[in-house]
Amino acid sequence: MSAAVVSTVRTKPTSRAQVRRRVLLFAVSALALLFVLLIVSLTTGEMPMPAGTALRALAGLGDPGDVLVVQQFRAPRSVAAIVAGAGLGAAGCVLQRLFRNPLASPDVMGVTGGASLGAVALIAAGASQTLIPVGALGGGLLGVFAWGSGLAVTRLVLTGLAVQAGLAAAVNLMIVRFPAELAGSALQWTTGSVYGRTWTEVWGAGGAMVVALAAALVMHRRLAVLDLGDDSAGSLGLDTSRARLQLLFVAVALASLAAALAGPVTFVALAVPHIVRFVTGPPTATSLALTGLTGAVLLLASDLVVQHLLPIEGLPVGAVTATLGAPWLLVLMLRQSTPVRRSHG
């Protein structure tokens, strides 16, 4: 008996150490990959340049032409992809745990569609670019509260897709009514794109994104308590209704700010939490941060594929993520809909 106890005591720390090493390796690898992708995004294009030249140009040094290309075109686009991807990944993680549903994500639930509608409405009103995140947040809240919560897996997807389709139709109707000079700038909110992002847009949405990500990490303890169930959470003194509303607002803010930068990009928020959960195991505050990091890597990589690997010029990044996301969503739905077979006898 004593040997069994000693074996158990020794096994648990080893298992936790293995998880920590795996998480650390995953985090370091993701950071390294993100840095490599960023360097590639700054150095490749119609005017290729060495990495050292691109980094000096990013700091405002070197040839004025290189500085212009890097600072005004490549860097804002890359940072926008990183910020939007981080927001989508974290939003998907919070929503899936909050609804206890592996299919819950901003693009499935209509959040990104509502954010697009809010952003396009402000463009139609002639508002400043700095106010676009505010319109996106208002539209995102409209999208998620259009149907409520507590839906089963299949009903969640069907209802969310119906809401998303209705919001997309409203966006298209507004664009058709736009003057020609506004239609082009609003078109990105129908497919998802980081092309043509400016530093004004990046700093506006990015600053708000940092606040929202910090809020998600601070409120992770409440999310962990809610994982125990409403009865257990209530017995621990947590106001479950208020906590859910606060976490839902943070998740919608993350997704809406991402949509303000990149439009309704799909797949990222749905898939990234599953990828991180597969590597890190049960969700923690660390895994929440890793979903943001992984989302940034995935969206920046997808944008580089759009720019340099596909023969179709001007293809939005949302087309790539949607192509990947459609089979992923189908597989998840089939897995959730398959009844569990029980053996008899």
Side-chain angles (χ1 to χ4, degrees):
M1 178 66 69
S2 59
V5 172
V6 171
S7 176
T8 302
V9 171
R10 288 178 178 174
T11 300
K12 287 185 178 179
T14 303
S15 177
R16 291 177 181 175
Q18 289 175 348
V19 171
R20 284 196 295 269
R21 285 196 296 269
R22 191 162 61 241
V23 170
L24 180 61
L25 179 61
F26 183 83
V28 172
S29 301
L31 282 171
L33 181 57
L34 183 63
F35 178 76
V36 171
L37 292 173
L38 181 59
I39 294 298
V40 171
S41 68
L42 295 178
T43 57
T44 55
E46 294 184 1
M47 292 179 56
M49 61 185 71
T53 301
L55 292 176
R56 286 194 298 272
L58 184 62
L61 304 174
D63 183 83
D66 294 338
V67 173
L68 176 66
V69 169
V70 171
Q71 286 192 351
Q72 300 302 318
F73 298 104
R74 295 179 181 175
R77 178 171 183 164
S78 301
V79 175
I82 292 172
V83 172
L88 289 172
C93 179
V94 173
L95 287 176
Q96 288 178 13
R97 292 180 62 185
L98 189 61
F99 286 89
R100 299 174 190 171
N101 192 321
L103 297 175
S105 70
D107 43 296
V108 173
M109 297 169 64
V111 177
T112 52
S116 300
L117 179 62
V120 171
L122 281 189
I123 292 177
S128 170
Q129 289 287 338
T130 56
L131 295 178
I132 296 298
V134 178
L137 177 58
L141 291 171
L142 172 66
V144 76
F145 288 119
W147 50 267
S149 61
L151 299 181
V153 171
T154 305
R155 193 178 172 194
L156 172 75
V157 175
L158 294 177
T159 306
L161 291 178
V163 172
Q164 188 84 348
L167 293 169
V171 171
N172 290 330
L173 179 62
M174 293 181 67
I175 291 177
V176 170
R177 297 280 186 174
F178 275 5
E181 62 271 13
L182 291 178
S185 62
L187 189 60
Q188 65 164 313
W189 275 279
T190 63
T191 54
S193 174
V194 289
Y195 173 77
R197 297 301 91 207
T198 65
W199 282 119
T200 301
E201 296 168 310
V202 170
W203 288 123
M209 185 76 76
V210 170
V211 175
L213 286 170
L217 291 172
V218 168
M219 289 194 288
H220 178 268
R221 186 181 298 273
R222 302 176 198 177
L223 192 58
V225 174
L226 287 173
D227 286 340
L228 302 175
D230 288 354
D231 293 338
S232 298
S235 66
L236 293 174
L238 181 67
D239 186 341
T240 56
S241 298
R242 182 179 180 182
R244 288 182 185 280
L245 189 62
Q246 291 172 338
L247 287 164
L248 181 61
F249 179 81
V250 170
V252 171
L254 288 168
S256 299
L257 292 169
L261 276 176
V265 176
T266 58
F267 170 70
V268 176
L270 177 66
V272 165
H274 293 276
I275 297 171
V276 174
R277 197 178 304 120
F278 177 78
V279 176
T280 64
T284 62
T286 301
S287 62
L288 176 60
L290 285 178
T291 55
L293 177 59
T294 307
V297 170
L298 181 58
L299 191 57
L300 182 57
S302 298
D303 189 50
L304 288 174
V305 169
V306 165
Q307 292 184 69
H308 307 299
L309 296 183
L310 295 180
I312 305 175
E313 186 176 354
L315 189 69
V317 67
V320 174
T321 59
T323 302
L324 296 173
W328 184 282
L329 178 61
L330 179 60
V331 169
L332 286 178
M333 288 187 65
L334 291 176
R335 289 182 59 184
Q336 294 300 313
S337 302
T338 303
V340 179
R341 295 183 179 180
R342 298 180 180 178
S343 60
H344 300 281

